Amino acid sequence: MADKNKKMEYSALLSVVQKYIAENYEGALNSSRHYDQIKPYVRHFIRNNGLFVEGMDTNEVVDKLYSEMVEYSFLTPYMSRSDVDEININAWNNVVISYSNGTTEKIQSFFSPDHALDTVRRMLQHSRATLDDAIPIAEGQLPNNARITAMKFPLVDESTYVSASIRLLHPSKITIDHLIKGDSASEDMLRFLCCCMRYGVSFVVAGATFSGKTTLLNALLKTQPNEKRIFTIEAGSRELDLVRRDDETEKIINNVVHTLAKKSEKPAQNITMEKLVVASLRFNPDLIVVGEMRDEEAYAAIDASLTGHTLVSTIHSFAGEDAHMRLATLCQKRFPMDLGISLMQAAKAFPVVCFEQKLDDGSRKITNITECEVDAMGHRIYHTLFRYVVDDNEPVDGRLVVHGHYEAVEKMSDHLRERMMMFGIPSTLLAQLVKR
């Protein structure tokens, strides 16, 4: 135990206090219901032993130690910031913050490899996930609608010790107007996608992680009339936020059902996204929204679309044909069949693919919208409807800036136009889409 009236470095004090609390009040650390007891224990220990950190009063020290032991150390303030998209622990001594505007910032490091590992483990505790030598990779959800994926040595170098990606999922306040003003898409592109969503054309938004797929989907969904019955399906954390309330009465004015897939300790009791897609059909939806297709739910989604339901989703893939190949591959997990048949079904179910991309300057743009026609023989014919063309990129004030323009390339097919007409698109609006 430390001597009376002893000045200590903060990192050393943290180690001493953590050991004391763990040995004497382990129950308080292991249950969130007892977290409020920790501060008094820490304050009592520090005062009784005359411990102090130069330049900090007792309350500051206690608050900071509490954050280290119960919260997420120096990462805690970033976890609640609306302008932070991702926290990347590349190594115990290399932490980078990614902001919503595309910029990144290198921030302070952990005191030691063990300090980093303890903090990551505390985050994983919310999902009862373990990260140790026997299980060196883990995923989890945090209470503030964030998700974490973490790895430790020996999956990463010993000098790295622990690595983690923490993605903060904020309810999106981005609208169509924001996307146009921010040059994320052209007005014609967004009008076309809104019409697809409203008038019976299923589509997927493809792209890499962090390319803005869900933000785009949220903005498009906000354009749908209150009368449209929307059924959303997500896994783990909810990113779609579509409930609308009257400004005066606070009553809900639209027609939305939000659902989340749920894992159980017994695999047979898992509520999968596939099960939720099947269940959604019994809710008489006008529009089914699958947050992301990444497993066997792809087959159920394709089946739902092919049976006349309008369905929109996101997928990790490249544009056009690559998105359909990805969908077909996912379907093989559920029902292995001829790949050509799977590809034809994927293209028929989702005739439009919108590709979203994060460019070199950090901006996110729709760079391609493709339509696929399937002829009587099952052949797939792809047409580029819109695209973004990069004209140049240049450094401006120390940052790379991409310059480009949007262009309409080909017109939509007669089949797509007829489908929209079947779902009641006004002739004047259809004329605007065809005229361009």
Side-chain angles (χ1 to χ4, degrees):
M1 185 178 294
D3 297 332
K4 294 283 186 178
N5 302 316
K6 181 177 179 181
K7 180 177 76 172
M8 300 185 72
E9 293 294 326
Y10 175 75
S11 58
L13 178 61
L14 171 63
S15 179
V16 169
V17 172
Q18 281 181 322
K19 181 179 180 182
Y20 170 76
I21 296 296
E23 290 177 350
N24 295 275
Y25 304 103
E26 183 180 1
L29 282 175
N30 293 335
S31 173
S32 58
R33 291 177 297 174
H34 300 133
Y35 281 171
D36 58 347
Q37 300 173 11
I38 292 178
K39 279 190 180 183
Y41 296 151
V42 171
R43 183 175 282 105
H44 177 77
F45 177 76
I46 289 174
R47 285 178 173 172
N48 275 10
N49 291 277
L51 305 177
F52 69 95
V53 176
E54 189 171 5
M56 299 175 67
D57 63 32
T58 301
N59 288 334
E60 287 179 286
V61 172
V62 170
D63 287 345
K64 192 169 182 180
L65 290 170
Y66 176 85
S67 179
E68 296 285 0
M69 290 186 289
V70 171
E71 297 175 336
Y72 314 121
S73 186
F74 62 91
L75 299 180
T76 299
Y78 295 97
M79 298 293 292
S80 58
R81 285 181 55 169
S82 61
D83 62 337
V84 173
D85 278 348
E86 195 167 20
I87 300 170
N88 287 302
I89 303 172
N90 299 320
W92 72 268
N93 55 357
N94 181 3
V95 182
V96 178
I97 303 294
S98 295
Y99 293 97
S100 303
N101 64 3
T103 62
T104 60
E105 178 189 13
K106 186 74 68 72
I107 62 171
Q108 73 179 84
S109 300
F110 294 94
F111 300 124
S112 67
D114 285 336
H115 181 209
L117 183 58
D118 287 343
T119 303
V120 170
R121 281 174 170 165
R122 200 151 52 244
M123 293 180 176
L124 290 167
Q125 278 179 355
H126 295 289
S127 300
R128 298 181 180 179
T130 300
L131 187 67
D132 56 24
D133 291 343
I135 307 175
I137 184 169
E139 294 183 358
Q141 308 290 329
L142 289 99
N144 59 338
N145 206 31
R147 58 178 178 236
I148 176 173
T149 302
M151 295 183 289
K152 71 173 292 295
F153 175 77
L155 297 188
V156 295
D157 292 342
E158 189 170 9
S159 59
T160 298
Y161 201 67
V162 63
S163 181
S165 174
I166 305 154
R167 187 170 181 192
L168 310 185
L169 308 175
H170 307 293
S172 177
K173 298 190 181 342
I174 300 297
T175 65
I176 292 294
D177 288 340
H178 288 128
L179 295 177
I180 294 172
K181 290 177 182 177
D183 199 34
S184 294
S186 71
E187 187 173 352
D188 284 344
M189 283 176 163
L190 296 173
R191 183 189 294 115
F192 172 75
L193 292 173
C194 286
C195 287
C196 287
M197 183 178 283
R198 184 169 178 179
Y199 299 110
V201 178
S202 298
F203 65 86
V204 290
V205 181
T209 300
F210 232 51
S211 59
K213 301 185 297 297
T214 305
T215 299
L216 172 63
L217 211 55
N218 251 316
L220 294 171
L221 287 162
K222 288 174 183 176
T223 68
Q224 300 304 293
N226 291 336
E227 295 74 22
K228 280 272 189 182
R229 184 160 176 75
I230 302 174
F231 192 105
T232 75
I233 300 163
E234 296 180 86
S237 300
R238 187 152 70 82
E239 297 182 71
L240 299 171
D241 186 22
L242 305 178
V243 174
R244 301 174 192 160
R245 298 180 183 273
D246 183 270
D247 292 337
E248 295 182 2
T249 66
E250 286 295 309
K251 290 183 177 179
I252 296 174
I253 58 176
N254 62 341
N255 196 359
V256 175
V257 178
H258 285 306
T259 65
L260 279 174
K262 181 175 174 23
K263 286 187 176 181
S264 171
E265 293 181 1
K266 298 180 179 179
Q269 296 177 4
N270 286 345
I271 305 301
T272 64
M273 292 182 72
E274 181 184 17
K275 289 180 180 178
L276 289 174
V277 172
V278 174
S280 72
L281 305 182
R282 304 187 186 102
F283 280 72
N284 191 28
D286 294 303
L287 180 62
I288 302 169
V289 186
V290 180
E292 180 187 329
M293 290 185 288
R294 53 186 173 186
D295 213 323
E296 295 178 353
E297 65 274 358
Y299 182 86
I302 287 174
D303 189 55
S305 181
L306 289 175
T307 53
H309 297 85
T310 307
L311 193 147
V312 296
S313 184
T314 70
I315 191 168
H316 285 139
S317 81
F318 197 63
E321 188 170 3
D322 293 276
H324 290 146
M325 178 61 77
R326 170 75 172 146
L327 281 169
T329 303
L330 291 176
C331 287
Q332 299 290 315
K333 292 184 176 183
R334 188 70 176 86
F335 285 116
M337 64 177 76
D338 181 79
L339 185 60
I341 294 175
S342 290
L343 278 167
M344 180 186 68
Q345 290 181 334
K348 278 191 171 184
F350 296 100
V352 172
V353 176
C354 170
F355 183 64
E356 183 104 2
Q357 190 172 359
K358 184 177 180 182
L359 302 183
D360 289 342
D361 60 356
S363 63
R364 297 172 175 87
K365 298 183 187 296
I366 297 176
T367 56
N368 184 279
I369 298 178
T370 301
E371 181 196 350
C372 181
E373 286 188 90
V374 180
D375 66 18
M377 300 298 294
H379 300 135
R380 291 167 291 115
I381 307 160
Y382 288 88
H383 306 284
T384 299
L385 305 183
F386 301 91
R387 67 186 171 203
Y388 178 77
V389 179
V390 175
D391 298 319
D392 194 12
N393 55 63
E394 61 175 346
V396 177
D397 297 328
R399 287 191 60 194
L400 186 69
V401 176
V402 175
H403 301 285
H405 67 277
Y406 297 100
E407 61 183 27
V409 185
E410 299 179 68
K411 293 183 179 181
M412 74 170 94
S413 68
D414 291 340
H415 173 76
L416 213 60
R417 185 166 65 250
E418 289 169 6
R419 185 170 180 86
M420 288 186 180
M421 290 173 65
M422 288 174 57
F423 277 79
I425 187 171
S427 58
T428 52
L429 181 53
L430 182 60
Q432 290 178 18
L433 296 180
V434 175
K435 183 179 68 174
R436 60 173 184 79

